[in-house]
């Protein structure tokens, strides 16, 4: 028995549906990336015998059964589409589906650019320390000796002083070294030779201090060092800071050393100096003796220094991530230069070294050194101390500024944590403390924005996202104060954007987070309030659009869960918000196109796609909440038809077709969509794409057509639109390209069309269309056609063994697609022959024999 007959034997009995309406969608199968995983096969109605076996006998197939083959679940259809797209040459789209719903991605929020390395930039914090400062006031508590310039003549002191010979410096006493430094006290500009000489003295002094030489008091050594703090040479300043930190100073002396390092780190051209010695390790050791509450100024400048050194290419990383996101989508779009629909989870592992290899290599080295020396653990400890203080009394002044710089430094480390496994593990531990810091800093918008920005970057890492997903509802509560005020400032919109981006990343990965967030009534109320407030504003700024994009993505990714998606259909105001966004954004794009408006439109369509999929999975709840999606099915159907009729970009049409594919499973939605001219629109799109290059739009549009033809009143108008000729043309094109998936869907549309006895009779009278379809199906159902040439080269060829092994799986997947097509096509061929026989026998009641019970509906798009 042939393989086709074996597959057919499993579907010979079917359970007959009770009413001729679209069957309720079954619980979606778990979607996986591998397309070879089989789905459960649903049962179908009982086959009826047919009278003619003309083309079936040609194929040598048994003809004792008839009717439509098993109805494919949409999970299978989408899985097959994903497999086909993965095998298609050229740009491909990775569909991440979960039970028919799709995850929505977006670009990382843009970090505001600063003109240079400044401590605060344009941030206005009360009582903040200056970004530029003078070190002149920093003196030791002991009176220092009068400053004097080094002697230029040969008249030196009576006691012989060592020359600029390194060997003599090693033989000199520590007291002599300090006296040599005091000769350069107050020095600012100096030549390279002088810098080398002073640096050699400081290097020798550092070695002795590290050996814990206790011959002289600490104050005596510091008195000789602070005379050099106004020197313009960064190498000298770092050497002075090394000696000071090696003395294990605290208080103002530690603050002075941190300021010296900060002064050097402010200029990017000095970064190479930090690779020459252990000044960063000494800085971390010094901070370990400081408290962010008692010595906040030292922490402010130290963490500012770490932020500068580790974030030298953070701006480039933002640009690279977004360029990659836009470039990937533009490669799949219509080439109009606008970012297209986000259809996959964000790509996090961007190869930044290819963008800026020199900078990132040095940056990674510094970050690795900091991680090995416990910098992140120290940051977490300081974060805990600040959180504990903020829990009892609101932070203000220097401790609040410390939190600002600490969170910024941690964000800079997070930017490169993906290349540092140790750093990744450390930053995971910081996630709960950063969430607490965001709560503590409520009311201080600038500080909270910095903390949230750090969390949003960490949410891109899978391990950190794993740590964050337990706190999804708590993160959602941070939206509360944002919707309590009046107007939305740019900084507030930036906070909302990053909160939405972080939540979207978490909800894209973790099922438990979706359920947790949905069942937290307060978090959901805050989210709806923010969406309503933003929706009431005129979209005049990019920041407002970006915040809306990120928050709509939260809804889209949350609704991937079946329980949440079904529940969101009866949530107040959500349907009206999405419907208003759909209309408003489309109108704005008609006037002036912008990437942000385009992305907002696609995010809205992504959320509608997921929500529409689940609305038929439960009984309608009465009474419906005001403004919920279930109460706006009619308006949504008409609005989608209006947007589709005037849309210019192919990628937008694809997104619209996906939404309609889920929405038109609802009988009421089908009726309203067709009343708004939906059927001619879909025929028009398919006519344009019959020989077009956009495969995805073609398949989605045919899927919508399958659902529309499930209603008997739409079949006659479809014939008047020359729809039968269109389906015949699409079927021929699919079969000639051996696209079994597309041919499968076209056959299902033809099946729904031929269920109507009057339509079938009209087509049989014309003859040519059904004859062509019948010949095509009979030709391509021949198994010998597929196996021709498979056994041409049977000899053993070692050079081709590896290639054959690699192609075995692909060939198996293609065979599976053909088998599924063969099931549907064989039953369709039988129905065509039955209609021909009935027409020839002139059965009087043939026109009234409408088998609506066997309608086929595309359950998922």
């Amino acid at each position: 028995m042939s393989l086709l007959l074996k597959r057919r034997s499993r579907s010979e009995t079917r359970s007959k549906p009770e009413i001729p309406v679209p069957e309720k969608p079954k619980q979606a199968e778990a979607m996986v990336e591998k397309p070879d995983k089989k789905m459960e096969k649903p049962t179908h109605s009982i086959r009826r015998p047919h009278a003619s076996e003309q083309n079936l006998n040609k194929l040598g197939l048994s003809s004792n059964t008839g009717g439509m083959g098993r109805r494919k679940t949409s999970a299978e259809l989408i899985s097959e589409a994903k497999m086909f797209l993965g095998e298609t040459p050229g740009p491909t789209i990775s569909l991440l589906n979960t039970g028919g719903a799709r995850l929505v991605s977006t670009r990382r929020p843009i970090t505001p650019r600063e003109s240079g390395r400044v401590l605060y930039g344009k941030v206005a914090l009360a009582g903040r320390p200056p970004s530029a400062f003078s070190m002149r006031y920093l003196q030791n508590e002991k009176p220092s000796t009068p400053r004097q310039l080094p002697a230029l003549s040969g008249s030196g002191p009576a006691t012989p002083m060592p020359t600029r010979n390194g060997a003599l410096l090693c033989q000199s006493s520590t007291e002599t070294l300090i006296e040599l430094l005091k000769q350069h006290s107050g020095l600012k500009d100096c030549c390279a030779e002088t810098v080398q000489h002073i640096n050699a003295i400081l290097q020798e002094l550092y070695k002795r201090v590290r050996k814990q030489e206790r011959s002289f008091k600490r104050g005596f050594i510091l008195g000789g060092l602070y005379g050099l703090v106004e020197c313009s040479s960064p190498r000298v300043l770092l050497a002075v800071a090394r000696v000071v930190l090696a003395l294990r100073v605290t208080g103002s002396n530690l603050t002075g050393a941190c300021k010296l390092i900060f002064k050097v780190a402010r200029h990017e051209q000095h970064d190479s100096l930090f690779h020459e010695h252990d000044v960063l390790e000494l800085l971390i050791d010094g901070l370990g003796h400081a408290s962010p509450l008692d010595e906040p100024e030292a922490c402010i400048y130290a963490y500012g220094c770490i932020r500068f050194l580790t974030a030298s290419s953070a701006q480039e990383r933002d640009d690279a991530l977004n360029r990659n996101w836009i470039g990937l989508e533009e490669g799949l779009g219509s080439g109009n230069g606008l970012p297209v629909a986000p259809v996959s989870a964000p790509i996090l592992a961007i190869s930044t070294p290819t963008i800026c290899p020199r900078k990132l290599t040095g940056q990674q080295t510094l970050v690795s050194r900091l991680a090995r020396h416990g910098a992140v653990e120290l940051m977490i400890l300081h974060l805990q101390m600040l959180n504990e203080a903020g829990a009892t009394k609101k932070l203000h002044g220097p401790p609040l500024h410390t939190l600002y710089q600490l969170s910024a430094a941690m964000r800079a480390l997070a930017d490169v944590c993906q290349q540092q496994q140790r750093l990744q593990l450390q930053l995971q531990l910081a996630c709960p403390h950063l969430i607490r810091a965001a709560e503590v800093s409520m009311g201080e918008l600038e500080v909270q924005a910095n903390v949230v920005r750090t969390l949003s970057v960490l949410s891109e890492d899978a391990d950190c996202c794993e740590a964050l997903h337990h706190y999804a509802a708590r993160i959602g509560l941070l939206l509360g104060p944002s919707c309590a005020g009046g107007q939305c400032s740019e900084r507030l919109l930036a906070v909302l954007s990053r909160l939405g981006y972080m939540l979207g990343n978490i909800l894209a990965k973790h099922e438990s987070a979706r359920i947790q967030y949905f069942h937290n009534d307060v978090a959901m109320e805050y989210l709806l309030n923010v969406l309503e407030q933003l929706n009431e504003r005129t979209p005049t700024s990019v920041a407002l659009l970006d915040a809306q994009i990120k928050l709509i993505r939260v809804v889209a990714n949350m609704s991937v869960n079946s329980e949440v998606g079904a529940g969101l259909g009866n949530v107040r105001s959500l349907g009206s918000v999405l419907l208003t966004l759909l209309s408003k954004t489309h109108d704005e794009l008609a006037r002036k196109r912008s990437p942000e408006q385009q992305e907002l439109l696609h995010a809205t369509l992504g959320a509608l796609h997921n929500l529409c999929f689940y609305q038929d999975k439960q009984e309608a709840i009465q009474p419906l909440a005001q403004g919920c999606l279930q109460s706006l099915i009619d308006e949504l159907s008409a609005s989608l038809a209006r947007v589709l009729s005037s849309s210019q970009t192919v990628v937008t049409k694809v997104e619209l077709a996906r939404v309609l594919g889920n929405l038109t499973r609802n009988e009421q939605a089908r009726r309203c969509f067709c009343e708004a001219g939906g059927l001619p629109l879909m025929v028009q799109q398919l006519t344009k794409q019959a020989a077009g290059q956009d495969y995805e739009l073609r398949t989605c549009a045919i899927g919508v057509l399958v659902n529309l033809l499930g209603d008997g009143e739409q079949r006659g108008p479809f014939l008047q639109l020359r729809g039968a000729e269109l389906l015949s043309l699409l079927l021929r094109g699919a079969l000639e390209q051996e696209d079994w998936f597309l041919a499968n869907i076209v056959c299902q549309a033809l099946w729904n069309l031929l269920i109507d006895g009057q339509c079938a009779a009209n087509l049989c009278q014309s003859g040519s269309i059904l004859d062509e379809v019948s010949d095509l199906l009979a030709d391509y159902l021949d198994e010998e056609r597929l196996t021709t040439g498979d056994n041409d080269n049977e000899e053993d060829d070692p050079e081709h063994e590896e290639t054959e092994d690699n192609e075995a799986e692909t060939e198996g997947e293609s065979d599976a697609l053909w088998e599924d097509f063969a099931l549907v096509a064989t039953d369709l061929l039988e129905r065509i022959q039955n209609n021909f026989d009935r027409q020839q026998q002139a059965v009087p009641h043939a026109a009234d024999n409408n088998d609506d019970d066997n309608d086929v509906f595309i359950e998922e798009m």
Side-chain angles (χ1 to χ4, degrees):
M1 182 181 294
S2 68
L3 180 60
L4 175 61
L5 289 178
K6 293 179 182 178
R7 292 290 300 271
R8 284 172 52 83
S9 64
R10 291 203 294 259
S11 59
E12 288 181 354
T13 59
R14 309 178 191 176
S15 59
K16 184 175 181 180
E18 297 179 359
I19 54 176
V21 296
E23 63 180 17
K24 296 296 181 181
K26 304 176 181 57
Q27 180 67 31
E29 302 288 342
M31 297 297 298
V32 293
E33 288 298 324
K34 296 183 178 179
D36 57 348
K37 185 173 182 178
K38 301 298 181 183
M39 305 293 179
E40 292 183 7
K41 307 297 190 290
T43 57
H44 302 276
S45 58
I46 300 175
R47 298 177 181 267
R48 292 184 298 276
H50 65 284
S52 175
E53 299 181 356
Q54 178 181 355
N55 284 316
L56 294 179
N57 290 333
K58 174 183 176 181
L59 295 172
L61 300 178
S62 173
S63 59
N64 57 353
T65 56
M68 185 63 178
R70 67 177 182 89
R71 299 180 186 176
K72 299 178 68 58
T73 67
S74 64
E76 291 175 296
L77 294 175
I78 294 179
S79 180
E80 292 168 356
K82 181 170 59 177
M83 177 174 64
F84 181 90
L85 291 173
E87 294 173 353
T88 304
T92 61
I93 296 178
S94 174
L95 298 177
L96 293 180
N97 300 290
T98 305
R102 300 182 301 113
L103 299 176
V104 176
S105 71
T106 185
R107 71 184 76 197
R108 174 194 279 193
I110 300 298
T111 302
R113 290 184 179 273
E114 299 291 350
S115 56
R117 292 185 175 184
V118 290
L119 197 59
Y120 291 94
K122 299 179 181 179
V123 176
L125 288 178
R128 73 181 196 182
S131 298
F133 50 83
S134 173
M135 300 286 295
R136 188 178 299 276
Y137 73 93
L138 288 175
Q139 298 291 336
N140 185 44
E141 55 273 10
K142 298 290 184 178
S144 60
T145 57
R147 296 178 180 177
Q148 59 181 7
L149 294 176
L152 299 179
S153 62
S155 59
T159 305
M161 298 294 292
T163 62
R164 299 185 179 186
N165 189 306
L168 294 179
L169 290 176
C170 295
Q171 299 172 9
S172 303
S173 64
T174 303
E175 188 177 28
T176 303
L177 296 178
I178 296 299
E179 292 298 327
L180 286 173
L181 292 178
K182 288 181 178 180
Q183 292 179 5
H184 299 282
S185 181
L187 182 65
K188 291 186 178 181
D189 297 328
C190 51
C191 63
E193 185 180 0
T194 303
V195 170
Q196 184 178 3
H197 174 60
I198 296 175
N199 200 49
I201 298 173
L202 292 170
Q203 178 65 24
E204 179 61 27
L205 186 61
Y206 171 77
K207 292 179 180 178
R208 299 186 183 189
V209 171
R210 292 291 286 179
K211 293 179 181 179
Q212 299 182 353
E213 181 178 332
R214 301 298 183 183
S215 301
F216 296 91
K217 294 182 179 180
R218 180 184 300 178
F220 176 73
I221 298 177
L222 292 175
L225 294 175
Y226 278 131
L228 300 173
V229 295
E230 295 293 337
C231 182
S232 61
S233 171
R235 195 178 298 274
V236 171
L237 294 180
L238 285 183
V240 171
R242 290 180 72 212
V243 178
V244 175
L245 291 174
L247 290 170
R248 300 180 182 179
V249 294
T250 57
S252 60
N253 290 322
L254 175 60
T255 301
C258 293
K259 287 186 175 182
L260 283 176
I261 300 174
F262 175 83
K263 186 177 181 180
V264 177
R266 286 186 62 185
H267 303 283
E268 191 172 353
Q269 62 267 28
H270 299 159
D271 286 1
S272 60
L273 299 177
F274 290 88
H275 294 272
E276 298 178 358
H277 39 62
D278 58 349
V279 66
L280 284 180
E281 287 79 0
L282 291 170
L283 180 63
I284 299 301
D285 290 339
L287 281 180
H289 297 93
S291 166
L293 301 173
D294 300 329
E295 299 168 297
E297 196 171 1
C299 296
I300 289 172
Y301 287 105
Y303 287 130
C305 170
I306 293 174
R307 173 165 66 97
F308 290 161
L309 294 174
T310 57
S312 58
S313 60
Q315 300 286 353
E316 289 84 347
R317 283 183 56 81
D318 279 350
D319 295 341
L321 282 169
N322 292 332
R323 279 198 306 270
N324 194 294
W325 184 85
I326 295 173
L328 172 70
E329 304 295 348
E330 283 182 348
L332 305 173
S334 58
N336 56 4
L338 296 175
V340 301
V343 297
S344 62
I347 299 176
L348 305 181
I350 303 299
S351 180
T352 309
T354 61
I355 301 170
C356 190
R358 182 185 61 82
K359 272 186 181 177
L360 194 57
T361 301
Q363 183 188 22
Q364 284 183 321
T365 302
L366 294 179
V367 169
S368 179
R369 286 169 52 188
L370 289 169
R372 287 197 304 266
H373 210 68
V376 180
E377 287 91 339
L378 179 61
M379 289 180 175
I380 295 175
L381 177 61
H382 284 177
L383 199 57
Q384 286 180 284
M385 297 171 68
L386 291 169
N387 288 340
E388 291 175 2
T392 57
K393 183 180 179 180
K394 185 177 180 180
L395 293 178
H396 62 87
L400 187 65
H401 303 159
T402 301
L403 178 58
Y404 180 90
Q405 297 298 334
L406 190 156
S407 59
M410 196 167 286
R411 177 191 182 276
L413 293 176
D415 265 322
V416 291
C417 73
Q418 293 170 358
Q419 290 82 21
Q420 307 283 344
Q421 184 176 5
R422 178 188 180 92
L423 183 58
Q424 279 183 318
L425 298 175
Q426 294 171 343
L427 288 175
Q428 290 178 47
L429 303 176
C431 291
H433 304 293
L434 284 169
I435 295 175
R436 181 57 183 153
E439 297 169 343
V440 166
S441 59
M442 282 185 177
E444 298 291 344
L445 198 56
E446 300 289 355
V447 179
Q448 188 185 37
N450 228 26
V451 177
V452 172
R453 184 183 299 165
T454 305
L455 284 167
S456 71
V457 175
L458 289 174
S459 69
E460 296 173 351
D461 178 74
D463 295 328
C464 292
C465 198
E466 175 71 26
L468 287 170
H469 88 275
H470 300 290
Y471 308 93
R474 276 181 62 182
I475 296 172
L477 294 177
L478 295 174
L479 294 170
S482 303
C483 59
Q487 295 184 352
C488 290
S489 63
E490 291 292 317
R491 182 59 65 184
L492 178 58
L493 291 174
V495 172
L496 293 176
S497 177
R498 285 168 174 82
L499 284 173
Y501 181 70
M502 171 174 40
L503 285 170
N505 290 343
I506 294 171
L507 298 177
K509 296 181 178 70
H510 297 283
E511 187 80 355
S512 60
R514 299 171 189 137
I515 299 174
Q516 175 198 144
Y517 195 101
F518 175 71
H519 287 293
N520 191 303
D521 296 337
V522 180
M524 284 297 302
E525 188 69 18
Y526 286 162
L527 176 62
L528 292 173
N529 289 340
V530 172
L531 285 173
E532 285 181 304
Q533 291 188 14
L534 296 182
N535 200 32
E536 294 171 357
R537 301 181 182 276
T538 304
T540 56
S541 67
V542 175
L544 176 60
L545 293 173
D546 193 56
Q548 289 179 299
I549 291 168
K550 303 304 188 287
L551 292 172
I552 290 297
R553 177 176 174 246
V554 173
V555 176
N557 289 348
M558 191 194 327
S559 58
V560 167
N561 176 269
S562 58
E563 176 189 354
V564 176
L568 287 175
N570 194 33
V571 170
R572 70 157 188 89
S573 303
L574 182 57
S576 59
V577 167
L578 294 174
L579 190 59
T580 303
L581 273 177
L582 177 64
S583 300
K584 185 188 298 185
T585 308
H586 177 261
D587 294 341
E588 289 292 332
L589 281 172
R591 287 192 292 270
K592 180 182 178 181
R593 290 188 182 181
S594 70
E596 292 77 18
Q597 291 281 3
Q598 189 87 345
E599 187 181 355
L600 178 57
L601 176 61
H602 292 155
T604 304
L605 291 173
L608 287 171
H609 170 275
N610 293 350
L611 293 173
C612 291
F613 170 73
Y614 291 110
Q615 296 319 303
D616 282 346
K617 290 188 176 297
Q618 62 176 7
E619 297 295 332
I621 301 175
Q622 297 294 338
L624 296 175
Q626 183 178 4
C628 71
L629 186 65
Q630 291 183 13
S631 66
L632 298 173
I633 293 296
D634 295 356
E635 294 84 348
L636 178 60
S637 302
S639 181
L640 288 171
R642 182 179 70 88
V643 175
L644 180 62
S645 64
S646 57
S647 180
Q648 300 297 324
T649 59
V650 174
V651 66
T652 302
K653 294 178 181 179
V654 171
E655 291 301 305
L656 287 165
R658 285 174 174 157
V659 178
L660 289 168
N662 284 342
L663 185 63
T664 52
R665 294 180 299 120
N666 182 284
E667 183 178 7
Q668 178 184 355
R670 291 197 300 273
R671 183 177 65 254
C672 295
F673 178 68
C674 291
E675 289 175 356
L679 183 61
L681 279 175
M682 300 312 301
V683 173
Q684 180 184 7
Q685 299 305 320
L686 281 173
T687 302
K688 293 179 180 179
Q689 290 297 322
Q693 299 298 319
D694 196 285
Y695 176 84
E696 199 168 5
L697 176 58
R698 192 157 62 248
T699 54
C700 291
I702 294 174
V704 176
L705 200 58
V706 171
N707 290 346
L708 296 181
L709 292 178
D711 291 338
E713 59 269 19
Q714 304 304 329
R715 296 165 188 154
F718 181 72
L719 285 181
Q720 296 176 6
L721 295 170
R722 301 177 63 87
E725 292 90 332
L726 176 61
L727 290 178
S728 176
L729 178 64
L730 290 169
L731 180 62
R732 174 177 291 278
L735 292 176
E736 288 177 351
Q737 297 178 11
E738 295 188 354
D739 184 350
W740 310 122
F741 172 73
L742 182 59
N744 191 335
I745 301 179
V746 176
C747 287
Q748 294 184 48
L750 286 168
W751 172 271
N752 277 359
L753 181 63
L754 293 177
I755 286 177
D756 192 301
Q758 183 62 47
C759 293
N762 293 338
L763 289 176
C764 288
Q765 289 175 2
S766 62
S768 60
I769 297 176
L770 291 185
D771 283 340
E772 181 181 3
V773 171
S774 180
D775 292 339
L776 283 172
L777 294 179
D779 189 20
Y780 283 90
L781 282 172
D782 189 357
E783 291 187 12
E784 295 182 359
R785 180 186 183 93
L786 295 178
T787 58
T788 301
D790 287 349
N791 299 322
D792 291 343
N793 300 321
E794 297 183 354
E795 67 276 4
D796 295 335
D797 190 354
E799 296 181 358
H800 296 288
E801 288 181 358
E802 183 177 357
T803 303
E804 292 175 354
D805 293 338
N806 294 335
E807 294 177 352
E809 184 177 356
T810 303
E811 293 175 356
E813 293 169 354
S814 179
D815 291 342
L817 282 177
W818 181 85
E819 292 170 19
D820 292 333
F821 157 75
L823 285 172
V824 179
T826 303
D827 292 336
L828 176 61
L829 187 57
E830 292 175 358
R831 176 168 285 277
I832 293 174
Q833 298 305 319
N834 287 339
N835 286 312
F836 271 123
D837 291 341
R838 289 172 183 172
Q839 185 66 24
Q840 292 174 1
Q841 296 173 6
V843 180
H845 58 277
D848 299 328
N849 187 16
N850 297 338
D851 300 331
D852 285 344
D853 288 350
N854 291 328
D855 289 355
V856 177
F857 293 94
I858 300 296
E859 293 186 355
E860 304 171 9
M861 289 299 298

